[in-house]
Amino acid sequence: MEEKTVVILGVTGSIGTQTVDVIGKIPGFKIVGISFGKNGTVAQGILNKFQVRYYLGDVELNNGTRFECTKELLEKTLPDIVVSAVPGFDGVRATLDAMQYTKRLALATKEAMVCAGPFVKQLARENGVEIVPVDSEHSAIFQMYESNVDHIVITASGGAVRDVPLDKMNNLSPEEILKHPTWNMGKRITIDSATMVNKLFEVVEAHELFDLPYEKIDVRINPSSFVHGIVFLKDGTIKIHAGKPDMRVPIAYALTYPSRQYESYVSSVEEFDTCLLPIEKERYPLFFYGLGVVSARDKGELVRRIAFNSADEVAVEYFLERKISFGGIYQTIRTVVEKIDSEFSTVSNIEDVFNIDMLSRRYANEFLKKLTDN
Ligand code: MG
């Protein structure tokens, strides 16, 4: 079997390092390029261990050839698979760039679908790129999807605030929220799990990936995170995808699809918890506000999605630095989304995506500055 070549964008993050881990355990894959930000130590370790020749990063490494931008790295390597795992809005440009140079996009950066879904999909069609989701819920749905789907359910853990008394919610500290009950992830996504902004983005991601209208995508809390997704078929069949929460499993699937090569922990029936709870409106107001904002059927949907993401990124940063309360995240997002929505009617091209993001960040920073000055 010929080796498949892989470039990992965002290699030092949570998904990136777990991808490296998976590739170390299954034969047939060769890492030909990596990109990273400031974490030169971890990147150097990966470069050495896997003898990676090409890289892109803020830090100069020993050995290997350094490139200045994602496009150059991909043009040189032309990999069979790009794992797109750059966290946050930075991952949008990286993902769009990847669409020109690979056959398969293993997509972990959900911001690419949230902020630029229609453009990513258009490039995939034009260039014949297969998109395989890495996000656990979407991987689950992807594995079960077929022609006669009626609707789907994706699950949430409920984050660290699931069992906190409602009147204590506003004053939770970053440390309290960073204790995620089931998944071990990066900081922003852990905060986004507590507000359920992450789940909102996953609903959008599912809407884009599976071309399903929003009313056909439901969300339930599964406290153990064992159930990842459910597909309801028109003939009455219900398919459930479950397994111990471990991102290496969907990462491996995105690499080896349509076959399976990865071996991992096999659960027992005792661990398999199918409890599904509704989402409480009072506990996750941002989720419900966001759902209204994205599912309103007008041309501004994508405008609001971009603004929502940018404002969330900025506000979460403020929260992590203890400059605002947990509840301040909601205030910021709502203010920015409403302001941007009144200024832009639609997203006409890719450059609009970046302009709206930049302006949303400016508005978020202005609002937060005023909020913290008082
Ligand atoms: Mg997920």
Side-chain angles (χ1 to χ4, degrees), residues 3-46:
E3 270 193 335
K4 287 223 161 78
T5 55
V6 184
V7 166
I8 307 170
L9 304 176
V11 76
T12 58
S14 173
I15 297 293
T17 51
Q18 292 183 85
T19 304
V20 169
D21 206 34
V22 167
I23 289 178
K25 286 181 186 146
I26 49 176
F29 295 88
K30 163 99 188 120
I31 305 172
V32 291
I34 54 174
S35 87
F36 62 97
K38 294 182 175 55
N39 200 339
T41 315
V42 172
Q44 184 71 62
I46 294 166

Side-chain angles (χ1 to χ4, degrees), residues 110 135-138 198-199 202:
K110 58 194 79 170
D135 212 345
S136 59
E137 298 80 0
H138 304 78
N198 181 55
K199 212 45 61 174
E202 290 186 356

Side-chain angles (χ1 to χ4, degrees), residues 267-287:
S267 307
S268 68
V269 72
E270 283 76 25
E271 291 169 275
F272 178 39
D273 143 48
T274 53
C275 165
L276 297 171
L277 305 167
I279 318 288
E280 286 173 85
K281 276 214 159 110
E282 310 71 42
R283 190 174 297 278
Y284 303 103
L286 206 36
F287 175 76

Side-chain angles (χ1 to χ4, degrees), residues 119 346-350 352-353:
F119 301 108
T346 188
V347 181
S348 315
N349 50 53
I350 290 178
D352 279 355
V353 172

Side-chain angles (χ1 to χ4, degrees), residues 292-308:
V293 152
V294 300
S295 62
R297 288 184 189 211
D298 63 52
K299 288 188 175 146
E301 181 197 335
L302 191 53
V303 173
R304 294 188 294 270
R305 275 159 45 178
I306 299 164
F308 199 108

